[in-house]
């Protein structure tokens, strides 16, 4: 998160850190007791290694009472996701067991109504992604508020030039922005997860390259289908 600030500890109890060998790789968030939603690009270069999911954390390194690392039983990338573009950039992770829900670990509802969030709506993003242009990595969860910008503006020739589909949304990226390591985390608007930070490599903090999120509503049926088929 560029230009943000340390989150109030455990006020975002749905936040997950996807880790490999104890290292934060991407964000994610709890959408059901045994399921975390993140971004498919985060699995690139991991040659099929399964993530571990840290829940209930504020600091990545300090011992905290409700912090717990969960093993992952299955990782399901959206079938349309690929390394060449940001389309269908979603990853579902089934935890080895149901997460123990408490004040520090809670499910975040996601938007099921497929309608664009109005431009200028203020939304929030949080993550353990880079906090400086030089790539400094924070130990504690950061957050930032960002206004939604219209798909028309985001698709302008000088911005993302017609690559933003109706299953994506954008926020202004002037100075304050999501960045590497925040990918997979939720864009929360009025208390509901509307988007997932895409994990394609993207310059951060430059107003000419707005932040891109996968809108969740268009994928509600896919998400429900995967969770239902793996149930039990
Ligand atoms: O965040 C992303 O967009 C992204 N997309 C990817 C694709 C492949 C891939 F192997 C990783 C990623 C990855 N994350 C990262 O590189 C994470 C490791 C870096 C990081 C940044 C800040 C704080 C902690 C750690």
């Amino acid at each position: 998160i560029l230009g943000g600030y340390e989150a109030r500890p455990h006020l975002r109890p749905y936040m997950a850190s996807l880790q490999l060998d104890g290292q934060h790789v991407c964000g994610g968030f709890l959408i059901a007791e045994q399921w975390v939603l993140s971004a498919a690009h985060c699995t690139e270069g991991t040659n099929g290694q399964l993530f571990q999911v840290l829940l209930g954390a504020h600091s990545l390194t300090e011992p905290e009472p409700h912090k717990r690392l969960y093993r992952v039983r299955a990782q399901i990338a959206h079938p349309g996701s690929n390394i060449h573009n940001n389309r269908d950039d979603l990853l579902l992770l089934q935890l080895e067991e149901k997460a123990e829900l408490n004040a520090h670990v809670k499910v975040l509802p996601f938007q099921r109504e497929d309608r664009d969030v109005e431009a200028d709506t203020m939304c929030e993003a949080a993550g353990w992604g880079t906090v400086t242009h030089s790539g400094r990595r924070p130990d504690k969860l950061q957050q930032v508020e960002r206004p939604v910008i219209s798909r028309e503006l985001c698709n302008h020739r000088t911005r993302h030039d017609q690559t933003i589909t109706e299953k994506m949304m954008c926020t202004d990226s002037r100075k304050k922005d999501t960045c590497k390591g925040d990918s997979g985390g939720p864009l929360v608007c009025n208390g509901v997860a509307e988007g997932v930070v895409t994990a394609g490599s993207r310059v951060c903090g430059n107003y000419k390259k707005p932040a891109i999120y996968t809108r969740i509503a268009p994928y509600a049926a896919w998400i429900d289908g995967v969770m239902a088929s793996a149930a039990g």
Side-chain angles (χ1 to χ4, degrees), residues 85-87 116 149-156 159-171 198 202 208-215:
N85 59 49
N86 285 320
R87 285 203 289 276
D116 279 335
I149 64 170
S150 70
R151 186 169 298 105
E152 187 193 4
L153 169 56
C154 202
N155 264 329
H156 193 270
R159 289 352 190 234
H160 289 301
D161 192 9
Q162 306 312 323
T163 61
I164 307 301
T165 69
E166 84 290 354
K167 293 181 178 174
M168 299 173 192
M169 65 187 289
C170 300
T171 57
T198 52
R202 171 190 147 260
K208 292 266 179 153
K209 295 298 171 196
I212 306 170
Y213 306 81
T214 305
R215 293 183 56 239

PDB file of all heavy atoms in Angstrom, residues 85-87 116 149-156 159-171 198 202 208-215:
ATOM      1  N   ASN A  85      -2.828 -11.643 -19.383  1.00  0.00           N
ATOM      2  CA  ASN A  85      -3.676 -10.458 -19.122  1.00  0.00           C
ATOM      3  C   ASN A  85      -4.280 -10.568 -17.737  1.00  0.00           C
ATOM      4  O   ASN A  85      -3.999 -11.523 -17.006  1.00  0.00           O
ATOM      5  CB  ASN A  85      -4.767 -10.354 -20.205  1.00  0.00           C
ATOM      6  CG  ASN A  85      -5.640 -11.604 -20.225  1.00  0.00           C
ATOM      7  OD1 ASN A  85      -6.116 -12.057 -19.180  1.00  0.00           O
ATOM      8  ND2 ASN A  85      -5.809 -12.172 -21.409  1.00  0.00           N
ATOM      9  N   ASN A  86      -5.095  -9.576 -17.390  1.00  0.00           N
ATOM     10  CA  ASN A  86      -5.682  -9.527 -16.043  1.00  0.00           C
ATOM     11  C   ASN A  86      -7.047 -10.190 -15.967  1.00  0.00           C
ATOM     12  O   ASN A  86      -7.732 -10.065 -14.955  1.00  0.00           O
ATOM     13  CB  ASN A  86      -5.819  -8.057 -15.627  1.00  0.00           C
ATOM     14  CG  ASN A  86      -4.478  -7.458 -15.239  1.00  0.00           C
ATOM     15  OD1 ASN A  86      -3.663  -8.118 -14.590  1.00  0.00           O
ATOM     16  ND2 ASN A  86      -4.230  -6.236 -15.657  1.00  0.00           N
ATOM     17  N   ARG A  87      -7.461 -10.862 -17.036  1.00  0.00           N
ATOM     18  CA  ARG A  87      -8.827 -11.399 -17.068  1.00  0.00           C
ATOM     19  C   ARG A  87      -8.978 -12.595 -16.128  1.00  0.00           C
ATOM     20  O   ARG A  87      -8.086 -13.444 -16.020  1.00  0.00           O
ATOM     21  CB  ARG A  87      -9.212 -11.781 -18.503  1.00  0.00           C
ATOM     22  CG  ARG A  87      -9.533 -10.529 -19.369  1.00  0.00           C
ATOM     23  CD  ARG A  87     -10.433 -10.875 -20.548  1.00  0.00           C
ATOM     24  NE  ARG A  87      -9.730 -11.649 -21.570  1.00  0.00           N
ATOM     25  CZ  ARG A  87      -8.987 -11.072 -22.526  1.00  0.00           C
ATOM     26  NH1 ARG A  87      -8.845  -9.749 -22.556  1.00  0.00           N
ATOM     27  NH2 ARG A  87      -8.381 -11.794 -23.433  1.00  0.00           N
ATOM     28  N   ASP A 116     -22.155  -1.875 -11.562  1.00  0.00           N
ATOM     29  CA  ASP A 116     -20.924  -1.117 -11.308  1.00  0.00           C
ATOM     30  C   ASP A 116     -21.054  -0.241 -10.063  1.00  0.00           C
ATOM     31  O   ASP A 116     -22.097   0.367  -9.840  1.00  0.00           O
ATOM     32  CB  ASP A 116     -20.616  -0.206 -12.516  1.00  0.00           C
ATOM     33  CG  ASP A 116     -19.931  -0.985 -13.638  1.00  0.00           C
ATOM     34  OD1 ASP A 116     -19.301  -2.019 -13.333  1.00  0.00           O
ATOM     35  OD2 ASP A 116     -20.050  -0.574 -14.815  1.00  0.00           O
ATOM     36  N   ILE A 149     -12.926   5.083 -10.121  1.00  0.00           N
ATOM     37  CA  ILE A 149     -13.016   5.915 -11.333  1.00  0.00           C
ATOM     38  C   ILE A 149     -13.806   5.120 -12.379  1.00  0.00           C
ATOM     39  O   ILE A 149     -13.843   3.895 -12.345  1.00  0.00           O
ATOM     40  CB  ILE A 149     -11.620   6.311 -11.887  1.00  0.00           C
ATOM     41  CG1 ILE A 149     -10.817   5.099 -12.342  1.00  0.00           C
ATOM     42  CG2 ILE A 149     -10.847   7.119 -10.870  1.00  0.00           C
ATOM     43  CD1 ILE A 149      -9.557   5.480 -13.100  1.00  0.00           C
ATOM     44  N   SER A 150     -14.433   5.841 -13.298  1.00  0.00           N
ATOM     45  CA  SER A 150     -15.311   5.169 -14.279  1.00  0.00           C
ATOM     46  C   SER A 150     -14.485   4.284 -15.215  1.00  0.00           C
ATOM     47  O   SER A 150     -13.296   4.538 -15.449  1.00  0.00           O
ATOM     48  CB  SER A 150     -16.026   6.228 -15.132  1.00  0.00           C
ATOM     49  OG  SER A 150     -15.084   6.844 -15.993  1.00  0.00           O
ATOM     50  N   ARG A 151     -15.123   3.265 -15.728  1.00  0.00           N
ATOM     51  CA  ARG A 151     -14.451   2.368 -16.683  1.00  0.00           C
ATOM     52  C   ARG A 151     -14.057   3.186 -17.929  1.00  0.00           C
ATOM     53  O   ARG A 151     -12.982   2.981 -18.497  1.00  0.00           O
ATOM     54  CB  ARG A 151     -15.368   1.207 -17.084  1.00  0.00           C
ATOM     55  CG  ARG A 151     -14.698   0.166 -17.952  1.00  0.00           C
ATOM     56  CD  ARG A 151     -15.540  -1.096 -18.105  1.00  0.00           C
ATOM     57  NE  ARG A 151     -15.757  -1.765 -16.826  1.00  0.00           N
ATOM     58  CZ  ARG A 151     -16.902  -1.727 -16.165  1.00  0.00           C
ATOM     59  NH1 ARG A 151     -17.934  -1.049 -16.645  1.00  0.00           N
ATOM     60  NH2 ARG A 151     -17.036  -2.328 -15.001  1.00  0.00           N
ATOM     61  N   GLU A 152     -14.882   4.164 -18.263  1.00  0.00           N
ATOM     62  CA  GLU A 152     -14.599   4.996 -19.449  1.00  0.00           C
ATOM     63  C   GLU A 152     -13.261   5.722 -19.266  1.00  0.00           C
ATOM     64  O   GLU A 152     -12.395   5.688 -20.145  1.00  0.00           O
ATOM     65  CB  GLU A 152     -15.734   6.006 -19.635  1.00  0.00           C
ATOM     66  CG  GLU A 152     -15.657   6.808 -20.904  1.00  0.00           C
ATOM     67  CD  GLU A 152     -16.635   8.006 -20.863  1.00  0.00           C
ATOM     68  OE1 GLU A 152     -17.276   8.186 -19.808  1.00  0.00           O
ATOM     69  OE2 GLU A 152     -16.723   8.728 -21.863  1.00  0.00           O
ATOM     70  N   LEU A 153     -13.072   6.337 -18.095  1.00  0.00           N
ATOM     71  CA  LEU A 153     -11.794   7.038 -17.831  1.00  0.00           C
ATOM     72  C   LEU A 153     -10.656   6.017 -17.757  1.00  0.00           C
ATOM     73  O   LEU A 153      -9.605   6.212 -18.356  1.00  0.00           O
ATOM     74  CB  LEU A 153     -11.883   7.824 -16.519  1.00  0.00           C
ATOM     75  CG  LEU A 153     -10.549   8.393 -15.977  1.00  0.00           C
ATOM     76  CD1 LEU A 153      -9.855   9.271 -17.015  1.00  0.00           C
ATOM     77  CD2 LEU A 153     -10.779   9.164 -14.683  1.00  0.00           C
ATOM     78  N   CYS A 154     -10.898   4.906 -17.078  1.00  0.00           N
ATOM     79  CA  CYS A 154      -9.825   3.904 -16.910  1.00  0.00           C
ATOM     80  C   CYS A 154      -9.413   3.305 -18.247  1.00  0.00           C
ATOM     81  O   CYS A 154      -8.254   2.925 -18.439  1.00  0.00           O
ATOM     82  CB  CYS A 154     -10.316   2.803 -15.962  1.00  0.00           C
ATOM     83  SG  CYS A 154      -8.966   1.882 -15.182  1.00  0.00           S
ATOM     84  N   ASN A 155     -10.355   3.271 -19.191  1.00  0.00           N
ATOM     85  CA  ASN A 155     -10.043   2.709 -20.508  1.00  0.00           C
ATOM     86  C   ASN A 155      -9.486   3.723 -21.497  1.00  0.00           C
ATOM     87  O   ASN A 155      -9.232   3.390 -22.660  1.00  0.00           O
ATOM     88  CB  ASN A 155     -11.311   2.070 -21.109  1.00  0.00           C
ATOM     89  CG  ASN A 155     -11.357   0.573 -20.829  1.00  0.00           C
ATOM     90  OD1 ASN A 155     -10.321  -0.080 -20.742  1.00  0.00           O
ATOM     91  ND2 ASN A 155     -12.555   0.038 -20.665  1.00  0.00           N
ATOM     92  N   HIS A 156      -9.308   4.954 -21.027  1.00  0.00           N
ATOM     93  CA  HIS A 156      -8.797   5.981 -21.935  1.00  0.00           C
ATOM     94  C   HIS A 156      -7.445   5.549 -22.525  1.00  0.00           C
ATOM     95  O   HIS A 156      -6.674   4.838 -21.886  1.00  0.00           O
ATOM     96  CB  HIS A 156      -8.664   7.314 -21.178  1.00  0.00           C
ATOM     97  CG  HIS A 156      -8.447   8.486 -22.074  1.00  0.00           C
ATOM     98  ND1 HIS A 156      -7.180   8.908 -22.452  1.00  0.00           N
ATOM     99  CD2 HIS A 156      -9.316   9.317 -22.706  1.00  0.00           C
ATOM    100  CE1 HIS A 156      -7.292   9.949 -23.249  1.00  0.00           C
ATOM    101  NE2 HIS A 156      -8.582  10.229 -23.427  1.00  0.00           N
ATOM    102  N   ARG A 159      -4.637   5.833 -20.306  1.00  0.00           N
ATOM    103  CA  ARG A 159      -4.653   5.029 -19.070  1.00  0.00           C
ATOM    104  C   ARG A 159      -4.482   3.575 -19.470  1.00  0.00           C
ATOM    105  O   ARG A 159      -3.417   3.184 -19.887  1.00  0.00           O
ATOM    106  CB  ARG A 159      -5.957   5.258 -18.309  1.00  0.00           C
ATOM    107  CG  ARG A 159      -6.238   6.616 -17.586  1.00  0.00           C
ATOM    108  CD  ARG A 159      -5.185   7.601 -17.501  1.00  0.00           C
ATOM    109  NE  ARG A 159      -5.509   8.714 -16.610  1.00  0.00           N
ATOM    110  CZ  ARG A 159      -5.456   9.987 -16.996  1.00  0.00           C
ATOM    111  NH1 ARG A 159      -5.132  10.286 -18.244  1.00  0.00           N
ATOM    112  NH2 ARG A 159      -5.721  10.965 -16.141  1.00  0.00           N
ATOM    113  N   HIS A 160      -5.519   2.737 -19.323  1.00  0.00           N
ATOM    114  CA  HIS A 160      -5.344   1.306 -19.632  1.00  0.00           C
ATOM    115  C   HIS A 160      -5.879   0.957 -21.013  1.00  0.00           C
ATOM    116  O   HIS A 160      -6.088  -0.220 -21.310  1.00  0.00           O
ATOM    117  CB  HIS A 160      -5.981   0.451 -18.538  1.00  0.00           C
ATOM    118  CG  HIS A 160      -5.217   0.491 -17.244  1.00  0.00           C
ATOM    119  ND1 HIS A 160      -3.894   0.095 -17.144  1.00  0.00           N
ATOM    120  CD2 HIS A 160      -5.573   0.916 -16.006  1.00  0.00           C
ATOM    121  CE1 HIS A 160      -3.475   0.260 -15.905  1.00  0.00           C
ATOM    122  NE2 HIS A 160      -4.482   0.760 -15.191  1.00  0.00           N
ATOM    123  N   ASP A 161      -6.158   1.976 -21.816  1.00  0.00           N
ATOM    124  CA  ASP A 161      -6.396   1.820 -23.258  1.00  0.00           C
ATOM    125  C   ASP A 161      -7.238   0.598 -23.637  1.00  0.00           C
ATOM    126  O   ASP A 161      -6.747  -0.352 -24.267  1.00  0.00           O
ATOM    127  CB  ASP A 161      -5.029   1.762 -23.985  1.00  0.00           C
ATOM    128  CG  ASP A 161      -5.211   1.905 -25.487  1.00  0.00           C
ATOM    129  OD1 ASP A 161      -6.350   2.212 -25.899  1.00  0.00           O
ATOM    130  OD2 ASP A 161      -4.238   1.686 -26.238  1.00  0.00           O
ATOM    131  N   GLN A 162      -8.470   0.585 -23.230  1.00  0.00           N
ATOM    132  CA  GLN A 162      -9.494  -0.402 -23.657  1.00  0.00           C
ATOM    133  C   GLN A 162      -9.243  -1.836 -23.173  1.00  0.00           C
ATOM    134  O   GLN A 162      -9.798  -2.774 -23.713  1.00  0.00           O
ATOM    135  CB  GLN A 162      -9.612  -0.418 -25.200  1.00  0.00           C
ATOM    136  CG  GLN A 162      -9.861   0.932 -25.832  1.00  0.00           C
ATOM    137  CD  GLN A 162     -10.975   1.719 -25.157  1.00  0.00           C
ATOM    138  OE1 GLN A 162     -11.989   1.149 -24.726  1.00  0.00           O
ATOM    139  NE2 GLN A 162     -10.779   3.026 -24.998  1.00  0.00           N
ATOM    140  N   THR A 163      -8.408  -1.974 -22.115  1.00  0.00           N
ATOM    141  CA  THR A 163      -8.192  -3.350 -21.608  1.00  0.00           C
ATOM    142  C   THR A 163      -9.081  -3.662 -20.398  1.00  0.00           C
ATOM    143  O   THR A 163      -9.077  -4.786 -19.910  1.00  0.00           O
ATOM    144  CB  THR A 163      -6.713  -3.545 -21.173  1.00  0.00           C
ATOM    145  OG1 THR A 163      -6.442  -2.615 -20.110  1.00  0.00           O
ATOM    146  CG2 THR A 163      -5.749  -3.307 -22.326  1.00  0.00           C
ATOM    147  N   ILE A 164      -9.821  -2.682 -19.904  1.00  0.00           N
ATOM    148  CA  ILE A 164     -10.653  -2.884 -18.704  1.00  0.00           C
ATOM    149  C   ILE A 164     -12.027  -3.408 -19.141  1.00  0.00           C
ATOM    150  O   ILE A 164     -12.805  -2.681 -19.752  1.00  0.00           O
ATOM    151  CB  ILE A 164     -10.803  -1.576 -17.898  1.00  0.00           C
ATOM    152  CG1 ILE A 164      -9.424  -0.973 -17.601  1.00  0.00           C
ATOM    153  CG2 ILE A 164     -11.582  -1.827 -16.605  1.00  0.00           C
ATOM    154  CD1 ILE A 164      -8.492  -1.883 -16.816  1.00  0.00           C
ATOM    155  N   THR A 165     -12.316  -4.669 -18.799  1.00  0.00           N
ATOM    156  CA  THR A 165     -13.586  -5.282 -19.217  1.00  0.00           C
ATOM    157  C   THR A 165     -14.681  -4.930 -18.217  1.00  0.00           C
ATOM    158  O   THR A 165     -14.418  -4.319 -17.181  1.00  0.00           O
ATOM    159  CB  THR A 165     -13.450  -6.824 -19.246  1.00  0.00           C
ATOM    160  OG1 THR A 165     -13.317  -7.267 -17.878  1.00  0.00           O
ATOM    161  CG2 THR A 165     -12.231  -7.256 -20.068  1.00  0.00           C
ATOM    162  N   GLU A 166     -15.893  -5.366 -18.512  1.00  0.00           N
ATOM    163  CA  GLU A 166     -17.013  -5.070 -17.593  1.00  0.00           C
ATOM    164  C   GLU A 166     -16.899  -5.932 -16.333  1.00  0.00           C
ATOM    165  O   GLU A 166     -17.632  -5.727 -15.362  1.00  0.00           O
ATOM    166  CB  GLU A 166     -18.361  -5.276 -18.300  1.00  0.00           C
ATOM    167  CG  GLU A 166     -18.922  -6.675 -18.345  1.00  0.00           C
ATOM    168  CD  GLU A 166     -18.146  -7.644 -19.267  1.00  0.00           C
ATOM    169  OE1 GLU A 166     -17.207  -7.212 -19.986  1.00  0.00           O
ATOM    170  OE2 GLU A 166     -18.466  -8.837 -19.216  1.00  0.00           O
ATOM    171  N   LYS A 167     -15.932  -6.854 -16.293  1.00  0.00           N
ATOM    172  CA  LYS A 167     -15.696  -7.647 -15.073  1.00  0.00           C
ATOM    173  C   LYS A 167     -14.522  -7.089 -14.267  1.00  0.00           C
ATOM    174  O   LYS A 167     -13.972  -7.770 -13.400  1.00  0.00           O
ATOM    175  CB  LYS A 167     -15.410  -9.108 -15.451  1.00  0.00           C
ATOM    176  CG  LYS A 167     -16.596  -9.834 -16.049  1.00  0.00           C
ATOM    177  CD  LYS A 167     -16.213 -11.262 -16.364  1.00  0.00           C
ATOM    178  CE  LYS A 167     -17.376 -12.053 -16.909  1.00  0.00           C
ATOM    179  NZ  LYS A 167     -16.918 -13.407 -17.341  1.00  0.00           N
ATOM    180  N   MET A 168     -14.120  -5.883 -14.595  1.00  0.00           N
ATOM    181  CA  MET A 168     -13.045  -5.215 -13.844  1.00  0.00           C
ATOM    182  C   MET A 168     -13.537  -3.842 -13.415  1.00  0.00           C
ATOM    183  O   MET A 168     -14.520  -3.315 -13.959  1.00  0.00           O
ATOM    184  CB  MET A 168     -11.807  -5.047 -14.734  1.00  0.00           C
ATOM    185  CG  MET A 168     -11.200  -6.332 -15.249  1.00  0.00           C
ATOM    186  SD  MET A 168      -9.876  -5.937 -16.429  1.00  0.00           S
ATOM    187  CE  MET A 168      -9.587  -7.538 -17.141  1.00  0.00           C
ATOM    188  N   MET A 169     -12.838  -3.262 -12.420  1.00  0.00           N
ATOM    189  CA  MET A 169     -13.111  -1.887 -11.998  1.00  0.00           C
ATOM    190  C   MET A 169     -11.788  -1.245 -11.638  1.00  0.00           C
ATOM    191  O   MET A 169     -10.762  -1.935 -11.490  1.00  0.00           O
ATOM    192  CB  MET A 169     -14.091  -1.866 -10.816  1.00  0.00           C
ATOM    193  CG  MET A 169     -13.559  -2.495  -9.542  1.00  0.00           C
ATOM    194  SD  MET A 169     -14.794  -2.619  -8.247  1.00  0.00           S
ATOM    195  CE  MET A 169     -14.971  -0.894  -7.777  1.00  0.00           C
ATOM    196  N   CYS A 170     -11.779   0.101 -11.520  1.00  0.00           N
ATOM    197  CA  CYS A 170     -10.530   0.822 -11.289  1.00  0.00           C
ATOM    198  C   CYS A 170     -10.691   1.836 -10.161  1.00  0.00           C
ATOM    199  O   CYS A 170     -11.792   2.320  -9.905  1.00  0.00           O
ATOM    200  CB  CYS A 170     -10.122   1.594 -12.542  1.00  0.00           C
ATOM    201  SG  CYS A 170      -9.848   0.572 -13.998  1.00  0.00           S
ATOM    202  N   THR A 171      -9.571   2.131  -9.489  1.00  0.00           N
ATOM    203  CA  THR A 171      -9.558   3.249  -8.550  1.00  0.00           C
ATOM    204  C   THR A 171      -8.401   4.173  -8.925  1.00  0.00           C
ATOM    205  O   THR A 171      -7.416   3.742  -9.542  1.00  0.00           O
ATOM    206  CB  THR A 171      -9.355   2.792  -7.073  1.00  0.00           C
ATOM    207  OG1 THR A 171      -8.135   2.054  -6.966  1.00  0.00           O
ATOM    208  CG2 THR A 171     -10.531   1.965  -6.587  1.00  0.00           C
ATOM    209  N   THR A 198      -5.936  -6.956  -8.629  1.00  0.00           N
ATOM    210  CA  THR A 198      -5.336  -7.849  -9.631  1.00  0.00           C
ATOM    211  C   THR A 198      -3.832  -7.943  -9.382  1.00  0.00           C
ATOM    212  O   THR A 198      -3.215  -7.023  -8.856  1.00  0.00           O
ATOM    213  CB  THR A 198      -5.553  -7.319 -11.069  1.00  0.00           C
ATOM    214  OG1 THR A 198      -5.106  -5.975 -11.116  1.00  0.00           O
ATOM    215  CG2 THR A 198      -7.002  -7.432 -11.470  1.00  0.00           C
ATOM    216  N   ARG A 202       2.238  -4.162 -12.305  1.00  0.00           N
ATOM    217  CA  ARG A 202       1.684  -2.844 -12.665  1.00  0.00           C
ATOM    218  C   ARG A 202       2.473  -1.808 -11.885  1.00  0.00           C
ATOM    219  O   ARG A 202       2.806  -2.021 -10.734  1.00  0.00           O
ATOM    220  CB  ARG A 202       0.192  -2.838 -12.258  1.00  0.00           C
ATOM    221  CG  ARG A 202      -0.474  -1.498 -12.366  1.00  0.00           C
ATOM    222  CD  ARG A 202      -1.869  -1.512 -11.718  1.00  0.00           C
ATOM    223  NE  ARG A 202      -2.111  -0.194 -11.159  1.00  0.00           N
ATOM    224  CZ  ARG A 202      -1.965   0.097  -9.870  1.00  0.00           C
ATOM    225  NH1 ARG A 202      -1.635  -0.838  -9.012  1.00  0.00           N
ATOM    226  NH2 ARG A 202      -2.144   1.325  -9.433  1.00  0.00           N
ATOM    227  N   LYS A 208      -1.488   7.834 -14.110  1.00  0.00           N
ATOM    228  CA  LYS A 208      -1.756   7.410 -15.503  1.00  0.00           C
ATOM    229  C   LYS A 208      -2.088   5.917 -15.573  1.00  0.00           C
ATOM    230  O   LYS A 208      -2.554   5.445 -16.604  1.00  0.00           O
ATOM    231  CB  LYS A 208      -0.523   7.681 -16.381  1.00  0.00           C
ATOM    232  CG  LYS A 208      -0.226   9.133 -16.605  1.00  0.00           C
ATOM    233  CD  LYS A 208      -0.854   9.627 -17.902  1.00  0.00           C
ATOM    234  CE  LYS A 208      -0.582  11.102 -18.114  1.00  0.00           C
ATOM    235  NZ  LYS A 208      -0.587  11.476 -19.524  1.00  0.00           N
ATOM    236  N   LYS A 209      -1.806   5.199 -14.488  1.00  0.00           N
ATOM    237  CA  LYS A 209      -2.075   3.747 -14.482  1.00  0.00           C
ATOM    238  C   LYS A 209      -2.924   3.407 -13.264  1.00  0.00           C
ATOM    239  O   LYS A 209      -2.412   2.933 -12.249  1.00  0.00           O
ATOM    240  CB  LYS A 209      -0.755   2.959 -14.481  1.00  0.00           C
ATOM    241  CG  LYS A 209       0.056   3.153 -15.761  1.00  0.00           C
ATOM    242  CD  LYS A 209      -0.689   2.662 -16.979  1.00  0.00           C
ATOM    243  CE  LYS A 209       0.024   3.057 -18.280  1.00  0.00           C
ATOM    244  NZ  LYS A 209      -0.884   2.930 -19.451  1.00  0.00           N
ATOM    245  N   PRO A 210      -4.229   3.659 -13.342  1.00  0.00           N
ATOM    246  CA  PRO A 210      -5.112   3.386 -12.198  1.00  0.00           C
ATOM    247  C   PRO A 210      -5.023   1.932 -11.732  1.00  0.00           C
ATOM    248  O   PRO A 210      -4.666   1.045 -12.518  1.00  0.00           O
ATOM    249  CB  PRO A 210      -6.508   3.683 -12.760  1.00  0.00           C
ATOM    250  CG  PRO A 210      -6.280   4.598 -13.908  1.00  0.00           C
ATOM    251  CD  PRO A 210      -4.970   4.163 -14.511  1.00  0.00           C
ATOM    252  N   ALA A 211      -5.361   1.697 -10.482  1.00  0.00           N
ATOM    253  CA  ALA A 211      -5.360   0.335  -9.937  1.00  0.00           C
ATOM    254  C   ALA A 211      -6.521  -0.439 -10.553  1.00  0.00           C
ATOM    255  O   ALA A 211      -7.598   0.121 -10.788  1.00  0.00           O
ATOM    256  CB  ALA A 211      -5.498   0.385  -8.422  1.00  0.00           C
ATOM    257  N   ILE A 212      -6.281  -1.708 -10.828  1.00  0.00           N
ATOM    258  CA  ILE A 212      -7.289  -2.556 -11.485  1.00  0.00           C
ATOM    259  C   ILE A 212      -7.713  -3.666 -10.525  1.00  0.00           C
ATOM    260  O   ILE A 212      -6.865  -4.282  -9.867  1.00  0.00           O
ATOM    261  CB  ILE A 212      -6.719  -3.215 -12.760  1.00  0.00           C
ATOM    262  CG1 ILE A 212      -6.121  -2.166 -13.709  1.00  0.00           C
ATOM    263  CG2 ILE A 212      -7.806  -4.028 -13.477  1.00  0.00           C
ATOM    264  CD1 ILE A 212      -5.333  -2.758 -14.871  1.00  0.00           C
ATOM    265  N   TYR A 213      -9.009  -3.878 -10.427  1.00  0.00           N
ATOM    266  CA  TYR A 213      -9.571  -4.912  -9.551  1.00  0.00           C
ATOM    267  C   TYR A 213     -10.481  -5.809 -10.374  1.00  0.00           C
ATOM    268  O   TYR A 213     -11.175  -5.341 -11.289  1.00  0.00           O
ATOM    269  CB  TYR A 213     -10.400  -4.281  -8.434  1.00  0.00           C
ATOM    270  CG  TYR A 213      -9.647  -3.237  -7.649  1.00  0.00           C
ATOM    271  CD1 TYR A 213      -9.522  -1.948  -8.153  1.00  0.00           C
ATOM    272  CD2 TYR A 213      -9.030  -3.529  -6.442  1.00  0.00           C
ATOM    273  CE1 TYR A 213      -8.808  -0.975  -7.473  1.00  0.00           C
ATOM    274  CE2 TYR A 213      -8.313  -2.562  -5.754  1.00  0.00           C
ATOM    275  CZ  TYR A 213      -8.204  -1.295  -6.267  1.00  0.00           C
ATOM    276  OH  TYR A 213      -7.491  -0.339  -5.597  1.00  0.00           O
ATOM    277  N   THR A 214     -10.482  -7.079 -10.032  1.00  0.00           N
ATOM    278  CA  THR A 214     -11.474  -7.990 -10.597  1.00  0.00           C
ATOM    279  C   THR A 214     -12.761  -7.772  -9.818  1.00  0.00           C
ATOM    280  O   THR A 214     -12.758  -7.883  -8.586  1.00  0.00           O
ATOM    281  CB  THR A 214     -10.995  -9.448 -10.430  1.00  0.00           C
ATOM    282  OG1 THR A 214      -9.699  -9.566 -11.025  1.00  0.00           O
ATOM    283  CG2 THR A 214     -11.960 -10.423 -11.074  1.00  0.00           C
ATOM    284  N   ARG A 215     -13.851  -7.428 -10.515  1.00  0.00           N
ATOM    285  CA  ARG A 215     -15.145  -7.281  -9.829  1.00  0.00           C
ATOM    286  C   ARG A 215     -15.616  -8.673  -9.413  1.00  0.00           C
ATOM    287  O   ARG A 215     -15.454  -9.638 -10.156  1.00  0.00           O
ATOM    288  CB  ARG A 215     -16.169  -6.635 -10.764  1.00  0.00           C
ATOM    289  CG  ARG A 215     -15.832  -5.194 -11.106  1.00  0.00           C
ATOM    290  CD  ARG A 215     -16.921  -4.561 -12.001  1.00  0.00           C
ATOM    291  NE  ARG A 215     -18.231  -4.652 -11.376  1.00  0.00           N
ATOM    292  CZ  ARG A 215     -19.272  -5.279 -11.923  1.00  0.00           C
ATOM    293  NH1 ARG A 215     -19.149  -5.900 -13.102  1.00  0.00           N
ATOM    294  NH2 ARG A 215     -20.420  -5.313 -11.272  1.00  0.00           N
TER     295      ARG A 215
END
